[in-house]
Amino acid sequence: MCTKVDMTYSFLQDDEPTDAQLLVIMQEVAEEARLGHEKVAKQVIENIEREYNRIRSDLQSQ
């Protein structure tokens, strides 16, 4: 059930967003947070692997 929500709301207005508008805003924020987390997690894993390989190479050359 996908219905269009009027998203002409501005946080600068005096009235509160509707429940439907707030739901859309929060879903967008959650999606951005999820994507950001995935990006950071991937970078952390890459850094760990790079450091592991560097240390392993250093130990093998001794």
Side-chain angles (χ1 to χ4, degrees):
M1 180 177 150
C2 182
T3 59
K4 294 283 185 182
V5 176
D6 178 17
M7 293 303 294
T8 57
Y9 173 79
S10 169
F11 282 107
L12 301 176
Q13 294 172 328
D14 288 336
D15 38 329
E16 297 291 322
T18 64
D19 287 343
Q21 289 171 328
L22 193 55
L23 178 64
V24 170
I25 292 168
M26 295 308 293
Q27 287 174 338
E28 290 174 358
V29 168
E31 178 66 11
E32 289 178 18
R34 185 185 65 75
L35 293 174
H37 176 267
E38 287 177 359
K39 181 179 177 182
V40 169
K42 182 179 177 182
Q43 289 173 343
V44 167
I45 290 171
E46 289 171 356
N47 290 343
I48 290 170
E49 289 173 346
R50 188 179 317 107
E51 189 65 13
Y52 169 79
N53 289 330
R54 185 189 65 79
I55 291 170
R56 194 170 113 201
S57 175
D58 287 350
L59 290 174
Q60 288 176 349
S61 65
Q62 291 180 356

